[in-house]
Amino acid sequence: MQAIALYELSRDLASASELDEILRIVVRHVGGTFGREAAILLAAGETLQLRAASPGLVLSEKEMAVAALALGAGQPTGRGTATMAGAAMRFMPLKTVRGVVGVLGVKPVDPGDSLSQEQRRLLEVFASQSALAIERAELAEQARQAQVACGGGTAGRAAELRFPRSAHATGFDHRHPLQPGGRRRVRR
């Protein structure tokens, strides 16, 4: 069951390219897999911004403060943790090699429902996969912005990035790079 849930999340995240789409996928999968409402808050400088949530889920000021603790400490906070255990929600930091990009918050539909140890581990993996997908989308957006700032966007520039002129000068045949005839003589 866990392997299937993780596979489905990974598959859906891999096919998504836009940040908002990624966030909706995570919220949907957390709800379906754990039977919980979910919220994703992304770092905006020193603060958190609510970017996606289950329908009807509203975070109180207290919950936002607990989420900010998870962001700052880089550790889970809230329900079922050592920090602010009495909170209604559990917040997981969304960590990448570049730092914490945000927080995933989960709230049980039934207040008496607790996550098992196995579910907590799976939620940590969900948070990790989500963080990587969010980072990928943010980096892709930064690359698009840089291309626009440099006056890019033309087909010629895109081709130049894929096949630099220096590669053409070597006579390397990009259509068959691993074929025995991948190298050819350059005629001058």
Side-chain angles (χ1 to χ4, degrees):
M1 174 77 171
Q2 286 186 351
I4 292 170
L6 185 56
Y7 166 75
E8 289 173 348
L9 174 69
S10 298
R11 179 198 60 212
D12 290 351
L13 289 176
S15 68
S17 59
E18 298 297 321
L19 180 60
D20 289 336
E21 180 183 9
I22 289 168
L23 301 179
R24 284 190 301 273
I25 288 168
V26 173
V27 168
R28 185 180 77 241
H29 278 276
V30 168
T33 302
F34 299 98
R36 284 166 162 56
E37 295 178 302
I40 299 178
L41 302 97
L42 297 183
E46 296 289 318
T47 64
L48 282 171
Q49 181 180 38
L50 180 63
R51 292 291 304 269
S54 299
L57 179 62
V58 178
L59 275 64
S60 68
E61 285 185 34
K62 179 182 177 184
E63 290 163 334
M64 291 295 290
V66 176
L69 285 173
L71 178 72
Q75 297 294 322
T77 60
R79 183 181 178 93
T81 70
T83 306
M84 305 291 290
M89 294 181 73
R90 178 185 192 92
F91 293 96
M92 307 289 298
L94 299 173
K95 295 181 188 180
T96 70
V97 293
R98 296 177 11 170
V100 180
V101 296
V103 176
L104 169 64
V106 295
K107 181 179 183 180
V109 176
D110 174 9
D113 188 19
S114 296
L115 291 171
S116 68
Q117 183 68 24
E118 191 173 279
Q119 288 175 314
R120 283 194 298 272
R121 281 194 301 270
L122 183 60
L123 183 60
E124 289 173 4
V125 176
F126 266 49
S128 178
Q129 291 294 310
S130 301
L132 294 173
I134 290 166
E135 181 181 53
R136 177 178 45 86
E138 289 176 344
L139 290 172
E141 180 57 29
Q142 289 173 7
R144 280 191 289 272
Q145 290 174 358
Q147 186 177 16
V148 169
C150 292
T154 64
R157 287 185 188 262
E160 179 70 20
L161 289 173
R162 285 192 305 271
F163 305 113
R165 290 176 193 195
S166 61
H168 291 293
T170 64
F172 188 77
D173 187 345
H174 294 282
R175 294 169 296 185
H176 307 287
L178 299 177
Q179 303 289 327
R183 281 197 88 50
R184 65 172 188 227
R185 280 196 151 149
V186 177
R187 297 181 188 185
R188 296 185 194 236

